[in-house]
Amino acid sequence: PVIEEFGVLLKIPEAAEFVNSLYKLGRAYNLWPIAISQEIGDMAGARGILNNTSTVFIGKVSPFEADQVADILGLKDSARALIKSLGGERGRYREYFVQVTKENAREGDVIQLWPSKMLYWLLTTDPVERSKLGDTLGAYRGNLTEALRSLAGERQGEVRV
């Protein structure tokens, strides 16, 4: 299960208990729960989840937030430096710090995510690009695949917005 903005659930005692049990019992039921948050403070109140998490992905954050994340996760200075170094190029790729825990040993490094042009257009959060996606979607009468193909430059001689 994917739990978007899990920090909200942690404020409800029954929901917090359920989420924590998913993480504690997940392996026994072949579950791989995923908790997502854009708020660093959510992690501070999620000790049960963090203690039962084998993989952590961290995107670009401010230096102050990088220090907070590193403190909450108990990361070494080398990992802290990697988090502070994260970058990317809008429309091309983003960097993420990934830490994997195996047999009580933690390993982490920076990865780059290079999405396809279609995936980029599907996931963009830029307001101007979202508006262009909406216009193109209208031009293709709600056909998302065709609109994405058009924006990604994979359609020739077709409607372009």
Side-chain angles (χ1 to χ4, degrees), residues 16-142:
E17 185 177 332
F18 174 72
V19 171
N20 278 307
S21 68
L22 276 177
Y23 274 80
K24 288 179 184 174
L25 302 172
R27 286 183 296 250
Y29 294 102
N30 292 319
L31 293 176
W32 192 20
I34 299 171
I36 300 171
S37 180
Q38 295 180 25
E39 298 295 326
I40 299 205
D42 290 346
M43 292 174 24
R47 190 56 37 207
I49 292 172
L50 294 175
N51 289 342
N52 290 288
T53 297
S54 61
T55 307
V56 176
F57 288 82
I58 301 167
K60 185 173 177 61
V61 294
S62 72
F64 175 74
E65 292 169 322
D67 286 334
Q68 286 183 302
V69 169
D71 290 343
I72 291 168
L73 296 176
L75 301 178
K76 295 180 181 178
D77 287 341
S78 57
R80 184 184 306 258
L82 287 175
I83 294 169
K84 288 181 178 181
S85 77
L86 296 175
E89 185 179 324
R90 182 169 195 78
R92 297 198 60 212
Y93 74 96
R94 288 278 186 241
E95 292 183 332
Y96 297 87
F97 174 78
V98 179
Q99 177 183 272
V100 177
T101 303
K102 289 185 178 180
E103 299 174 13
N104 295 324
R106 293 191 286 184
E107 295 182 21
D109 209 340
V110 173
I111 64 166
Q112 293 180 339
L113 175 63
W114 290 75
S116 68
K117 290 179 181 179
M118 281 183 63
L119 183 60
Y120 174 82
W121 277 102
L122 179 65
L123 300 178
T124 184
T125 57
D126 179 87
V128 172
E129 292 173 345
R130 295 299 300 170
S131 178
K132 187 172 182 177
L133 174 58
D135 293 344
T136 306
L137 193 57
Y140 281 94
R141 296 188 176 122

